[in-house]
Amino acid sequence: MDAVILCAGKGTRLLPLTENRPKPMLPVGGKPILEYIIEKVENLVDNIYLVVKYKKDVIIDYFRDHPKVKFVEQGDIDGTGYALLSARNFLGDEFLVINGDIVFEDRLKEILLHENAMGLVEVENPKEFGVVVLDRESNIVEIEEKPENPKSNLINGGIYKFQSDILDILEDLEPSERGEVELTDAIKELIRERKIKGIKLKGYWNDIGRPWDLLDSNRHILKGIKREIKGEIGENVIIEGNVVVEEDAVIRHNTVIEGPAVIKSGAVVGPLTYIRPYTVLMEDTFVGNSSEIKNSIIMRGTKIPHLSYIGDSIIGENCNFGCNTITANLRFDNKPVKVNIKGRVVESVRKLGVIMGDNVKTGIQVSFMPGVKVGSNSWIGPNLLVDKDVKSNTFIYK
Ligand code: TTP
């Protein structure tokens, strides 16, 4: 049996983080989301087909040497159904299908026992998802996308086992109102003829749609790491709890690291730096004197050299922060931080800092208000308070 992982979407709700990489390649716990999915299925299947399109080279470059991974390009139509159909010529009688943007714990064994099955998750806010209704034998009898009045709190978990007849149904489907061939429309047809078992997934599950989902999954992964110190550790460094310091990382003197945290190879931290729990410093990052980083993902090559506070933030690759660049991450009234997602202001979580693309430069004494987004390649001049989203490729100066 084979697995198909759907990785071709644009991930627009995660902009600017997805400006230069597809959503499945965003890092959580120091590795791309997609790598965890591949690790889960590689011993269960013969081939893993990654359906790619948007920024496909980032996925192909990373996984090209994996012995079971093969790449299939999605055709001109959008949608999860069309993504699966794009792999049609490679698939046998039955196969596993997984969305490339979910972080989950379940070991998939129960799903594989059934001819047709869908992984389900119990949530408090089903309105935002595909809501599923089961009969007494746990067969799916109804799926409704983002219903106003959900009939259950079980939602589609983005993990499926199908027989090849799903592909025949997909072939005959017309695109939906939003111009996409949707997998759930095909499943609605399939349940008229076949039984699809609803399997409640065990343990943690998260569908990475918005930036703060990434921080949530990052925390989940970091809770499971074990202490492993391989890099160079200077004098008077304190490392508490489960911290990974990879080979070729350097922790300079008088630095404090509170786990769980991951410091990847080539990263340099210190002197006198404070790394707090749930922080990941990706490869070749530098965090220097009197800077404090908390609950944040700092991507490859970014430099935060002096006197900065970065909290509850996601910072893209190769950014360069001027001295005393600061993020605010909490409102005075303690209400959820508001974030603009595709032109709509939505409430996120109580603590959220800045969401930044790649190659951003800040001058000295730049401050960011909670939940602002900064597009890639932008420059923010010195002594500015950034309280609105900054588009990509802009230069703001007083
Ligand atoms: P979504 O999260 O629904 O879509 P998206 O990735 O385009 O994100 P956004 O809504 O923020 O723009 O996608 C669910 C999964 O299906 C995800 O793993 C990406 C994948 N997918 C494809 O492979 N091809 C597609 O055409 C679409 C729309 C999604």
Side-chain angles (χ1 to χ4, degrees):
M1 195 181 52
D2 296 334
V4 183
I5 307 180
L6 310 179
C7 307
K10 294 196 184 80
T12 46
R13 288 166 297 156
L14 276 154
L15 285 169
L17 303 172
T18 46
E19 277 181 318
N20 296 318
R21 61 189 71 72
K23 183 160 56 164
M25 292 306 286
L26 285 170
V28 289
K31 288 196 299 197
I33 297 166
L34 180 55
E35 196 165 344
Y36 297 97
I37 304 176
I38 290 177
E39 284 170 1
K40 278 215 152 50
V41 299
E42 63 194 355
N43 293 326
L44 303 174
V45 300
D46 302 313
N47 299 294
I48 303 168
Y49 292 102
L50 303 183
V51 181
V52 296
K53 188 169 184 180
Y54 176 74
K55 305 284 174 196
K56 63 177 193 258
D57 292 343
V58 182
I59 296 181
I60 295 170
D61 287 350
Y62 195 91
F63 291 106
R64 74 165 83 244
D65 296 329
H66 190 293
K68 288 192 177 175
V69 165
K70 302 186 165 59
F71 306 98
V72 178
E73 182 151 0
Q74 182 169 339
D76 284 340
I77 301 171
D78 284 341
T80 46
Y82 203 75
L84 174 58
L85 196 56
S86 304
R88 149 150 245 177
N89 293 343
F90 306 94
L91 297 174
D93 294 340
E94 54 175 17
F95 41 84
L96 198 59
V97 178
I98 305 182
N99 286 355
D101 58 353
I102 51 175
V103 176
F104 62 96
E105 226 167 32
D106 194 277
R107 295 170 65 202
L108 305 173
K109 293 228 162 103
E110 215 186 323
I111 287 189
L112 293 174
L113 295 176
H114 301 276
E115 283 199 347
N116 290 287
M118 181 196 274
L120 306 178
V121 187
E122 217 167 325
V123 295
E124 282 169 13
N125 56 335
K127 277 184 180 182
E128 295 169 26
F129 299 93
V131 175
V132 172
V133 179
L134 301 179
D135 67 11
R136 286 202 186 150
E137 275 93 47
S138 295
N139 295 308
I140 293 169
V141 287
E142 204 179 320
I143 306 186
E144 214 181 342
E145 278 304 322
K146 302 191 173 88
E148 201 37 55
N149 300 303
K151 291 185 187 151
S152 84
N153 58 354
L154 285 178
I155 61 156
N156 174 357
I159 303 175
Y160 319 84
K161 160 97 183 292
F162 291 124
Q163 308 293 303
S164 58
D165 52 359
I166 188 84
L167 300 168
D168 301 328
I169 297 174
L170 282 168
E171 198 118 83
D172 294 336
L173 270 190
E174 292 294 321
S176 65
E177 273 173 23
R178 36 176 205 175
E180 296 188 0
V181 172
E182 320 245 14
L183 192 48
T184 43
D185 287 342
I187 295 171
K188 280 180 195 161
E189 287 210 15
L190 192 66
I191 53 180
R192 289 197 212 130
E193 293 155 30
R194 302 253 182 281
K195 292 196 159 140
I196 305 188
K197 269 280 180 245
I199 309 287
K200 286 188 196 159
L201 297 171
K202 297 187 182 79
Y204 181 89
W205 176 94
N206 198 4
D207 166 35
I208 309 293
R210 300 139 326 164
W212 52 97
D213 295 324
L214 206 63
L215 289 176
D216 188 84
S217 288
N218 190 56
R219 280 195 297 277
H220 164 70
I221 301 278
L222 290 183
K223 278 177 193 157
I225 63 169
K226 299 222 159 55
R227 186 179 171 97
E228 194 176 23
I229 312 292
K230 289 189 170 162
E232 188 186 319
I233 311 295
E235 278 187 29
N236 296 323
V237 167
I238 298 171
I239 300 181
E240 291 173 355
N242 288 326
V243 174
V244 172
V245 179
E246 289 189 354
E247 217 169 297
D248 297 326
V250 179
I251 314 297
R252 290 190 185 146
H253 64 88
N254 296 87
T255 287
V256 176
I257 305 179
E258 293 169 353
V262 172
I263 316 295
K264 303 280 287 181
S265 154
V268 177
V269 184
L272 292 143
T273 300
Y274 185 23
I275 304 294
R276 293 173 52 198
Y278 304 110
T279 293
V280 175
L281 303 182
M282 296 296 285
E283 290 87 352
D284 306 320
T285 45
F286 171 45
V287 183
N289 173 34
S290 300
S291 291
E292 173 178 340
I293 317 277
K294 171 233 163 185
N295 188 38
S296 294
I297 300 169
I298 313 295
M299 294 191 211
R300 180 191 293 267
T302 283
K303 312 266 183 277
I304 307 173
H306 354 253
L307 302 166
S308 282
Y309 171 68
I310 309 298
D312 307 282
S313 297
I314 306 168
I315 310 294
E317 291 186 3
N318 296 317
C319 294
N320 212 318
F321 285 4
C323 179
N324 206 206
T325 293
I326 302 283
T327 61
N329 56 341
L330 180 66
R331 291 166 52 119
F332 279 152
D333 60 10
N334 259 317
K335 288 194 173 146
V337 170
K338 290 187 174 154
V339 181
N340 190 329
I341 302 284
K342 292 177 84 170
R344 214 162 59 89
V345 176
V346 299
E347 289 188 347
S348 64
V349 284
R350 199 172 71 93
K351 286 191 175 180
L352 187 69
V354 65
I355 313 300
M356 189 177 282
D358 300 330
N359 311 312
V360 173
K361 289 185 190 188
T362 65
I364 55 162
Q365 293 182 336
V366 169
S367 302
F368 294 98
M369 292 306 279
V372 293
K373 299 202 269 186
V374 182
S376 298
N377 311 317
S378 288
W379 292 356
I380 317 239
N383 199 23
L384 285 177
L385 174 71
V386 181
D387 59 358
K388 290 186 187 61
D389 290 358
V390 177
K391 290 202 174 108
S392 317
N393 305 303
T394 43
F395 184 11
I396 317 182
Y397 206 82
K398 213 193 283 188

